[in-house]
Amino acid sequence: MSSDPASIELIIFDVDGVLTDGTININDDGSETKKFNVRDGFGMRLWLDAGFKIAIITGRSGEALKHRLASLKIDPELVIQGSRDKSEALDVIVEKTSIDPSKIAYLADDWPDLVAMHRVGLPMAVHDAEPEVIEAAAFVTARKGGRGAARDAIAHLLKAKGMYQPGS
Ligand SMILES: [Mg+2]
């Protein structure tokens, strides 16, 4: 039984394959370059401006992500990079926000997300997620990771709340 999307207060995003298309460009000096989607970013602003929260759980870490999240004004307290166990990371986020897991959505693409996904009220998968992740999801986005999936997920929740309207 998944939660009513209208009851969700916090969305957790995985990064690689969710906020990006999963590509990691490695430069000659070993640094990494990632591509983020501007419309995903706008959706994240809409969600935050509506008074809800965003958290990030990723197994990797990097400066590009830090800069992107800072520009979106995502609370750095709720950004967990280098996570070896995403279920443990979920515990940290629940403790920091005092939001019950039943009011949390999680957008995922691959196996490391599965345990945490199973524990939240609204597990969601990007369109091109692994089959097991799609199967575990209560909602699957129309668009792929890094190509508007985060925007789709946020639109789904805000529509359920009657809060998804273009401004004039
Ligand atoms: Mg991923």
Side-chain angles (χ1 to χ4, degrees):
M1 253 300 274
S2 65
S3 297
D4 179 353
S7 71
I8 298 301
E9 293 178 9
L10 164 72
I11 308 182
I12 299 174
F13 294 102
D14 171 39
V15 175
D16 293 292
V18 171
L19 297 184
T20 76
D21 65 6
T23 303
I24 299 165
N25 295 306
I26 313 284
N27 305 310
D28 284 346
D29 63 359
S31 63
E32 295 182 1
T33 311
K34 288 186 204 230
K35 273 199 287 196
F36 295 96
N37 183 291
V38 165
R39 283 191 261 169
D40 281 345
F42 185 73
M44 291 162 97
R45 283 308 321 157
L46 290 176
W47 177 257
L48 292 171
D49 289 348
F52 304 110
K53 288 189 158 58
I54 290 176
I56 305 288
I57 300 177
T58 172
R60 302 179 62 87
S61 57
E63 290 302 305
L65 175 67
K66 240 187 253 173
H67 291 304
R68 177 62 175 156
L69 298 178
S71 77
L72 294 170
K73 299 194 167 59
I74 290 170
D75 182 354
E77 285 271 293
L78 301 182
V79 176
I80 300 179
Q81 296 203 61
S83 166
R84 295 254 151 246
D85 180 336
K86 293 190 175 185
S87 187
E88 261 175 35
L90 174 61
D91 288 335
V92 171
I93 287 164
V94 167
E95 197 183 307
K96 282 189 174 162
T97 60
S98 303
I99 295 175
D100 189 85
S102 67
K103 294 179 178 172
I104 297 177
Y106 187 118
L107 184 61
D109 74 313
D110 208 346
W111 292 4
D113 303 309
L114 279 169
V115 177
M117 266 182 100
H118 283 303
R119 292 183 48 210
V120 300
L122 192 64
M124 302 186 290
V126 300
H127 188 81
D128 54 338
E130 290 302 311
E132 297 78 7
V133 172
I134 301 256
E135 204 168 300
F139 175 77
V140 179
T141 66
R143 286 179 280 187
K144 296 178 180 178
R147 305 272 172 173
R151 178 62 167 272
D152 285 348
I154 286 165
H156 177 63
L157 303 185
L158 288 177
K159 277 179 194 165
K161 294 170 182 288
M163 296 173 79
Y164 193 70
Q165 315 266 353
S168 50

